Amino acid sequence: MKRLAVCVAATASAIALAAGPTAAAPSPGRHGEAARHHAPARPASESARLARSILNTKGITYAGAHVGGTDKASLPKQNLVDVSHGRPARTSPWGHKKGARVALDTRMLTGVLKLNTQYHYRFEISEFVGGEHSSTSKHYAGRAVDVTWINGRHVGKKADHRGFMNACRKLDATLVLGPGDKGHSTHVHCQW
Ligand SMILES: [Zn+2]
C-alpha cells in the first residue's frame, strides 16, 4: 500500500514535470482524474492502524452474538474491521442510537490493545458500539468497551475482574465498572 502511494505520487510528479509550466493550471477534467487516483493511497488513520493491530492480536477475541438481538454489522469484530478500513463502526438497529455510524476513539482502542500487549490479559469483547446501552452511554460515542471473558473465565464466575479493572484504570480509563456495580454483574465496562 505504501509502495503504491509513493509510486503514484512519483508518476504524478513526473507527468507534471513533463507537461511543463502549463501543468501548474491543469484542466478540471485532469485534476478530477488525479484526485480519484490518489484517494485509495491515503495513509491509514491512527484509529485504522489501532483497529488492525487489535484484530491481529491473538489474545483478544469477540462475542459472535449480541445479548438483545441479531445484527452482524454491529458485532464488535465487525466494528474493528470497519474502522480498520477507514469506515465508522455501526450501532445496532435497536437501542438508543439505532443504525448509526460512529468512529472508535483512539484512546479507547489504545487501551484495549495494551490490556493485552502491556498487561497480558486474554479477553473477549462483547460490545463496542453495538448492542443496547443507557441513552447517554459512551458506547454510542465509540469510547467504551464491554468485556465478558478474562483469561478463560467468565466475568462474575471467578474471572479476575479486579485485576482487569485496575489495568483499565492504569491505562487512563475514565470510568470502570464491573461486578458489584449495578448492571455489571457479568461484564466489565471500561471507557475512555
Ligand atoms: Zn459497557
Side-chain angles (χ1 to χ4, degrees):
M1 195 71 180
K2 196 157 193 176
R3 191 183 200 109
L4 179 67
V6 169
C7 189
V8 169
T11 306
S13 302
I15 290 167
L17 280 172
T22 53
S27 70
R30 184 172 159 173
H31 186 261
E33 192 183 355
R36 231 176 12 254
H37 284 164
H38 281 181
R42 263 183 312 194
S45 68
E46 189 182 359
S47 58
R49 283 187 284 108
L50 287 165
R52 174 58 53 194
S53 295
I54 294 169
L55 287 166
N56 286 337
T57 300
K58 273 188 193 160
I60 304 177
T61 54
Y62 310 91
H66 303 282
V67 171
T70 308
D71 180 54
K72 288 184 176 171
S74 58
L75 285 171
K77 187 173 184 183
Q78 188 60 46
N79 284 169
L80 290 175
V81 168
D82 284 338
V83 170
S84 76
H85 289 132
R87 301 186 295 256
R90 297 173 77 137
T91 65
S92 297
W94 62 89
H96 294 281
K97 197 167 176 181
K98 300 177 176 68
R101 292 166 184 270
V102 292
L104 295 184
D105 191 284
T106 55
R107 290 164 294 186
M108 188 273 289
L109 292 171
T110 300
V112 167
L113 184 60
K114 287 185 174 179
L115 281 164
N116 175 269
T117 60
Q118 192 173 325
Y119 287 90
H120 308 293
Y121 281 104
R122 288 179 293 112
F123 56 98
E124 183 170 299
I125 293 168
S126 57
E127 297 289 8
F128 286 115
V129 306
E132 182 162 4
H133 310 277
S134 63
S135 60
T136 57
S137 171
K138 295 304 179 192
H139 280 283
Y140 298 130
R143 289 172 47 189
V145 63
D146 284 343
V147 168
T148 42
W149 291 83
I150 300 167
N151 292 342
R153 291 177 187 271
H154 202 287
V155 175
K157 292 178 181 169
K158 299 187 177 175
D160 176 23
H161 62 267
R162 284 192 188 82
F164 190 90
M165 290 165 74
N166 272 332
C168 281
R169 291 186 190 102
K170 285 177 188 161
L171 289 166
D172 298 327
T174 51
L175 179 66
V176 179
L177 300 169
D181 299 308
K182 193 184 172 207
H184 292 79
S185 59
T186 57
H187 75 275
V188 169
H189 168 104
C190 297
Q191 93 182 31
W192 280 265

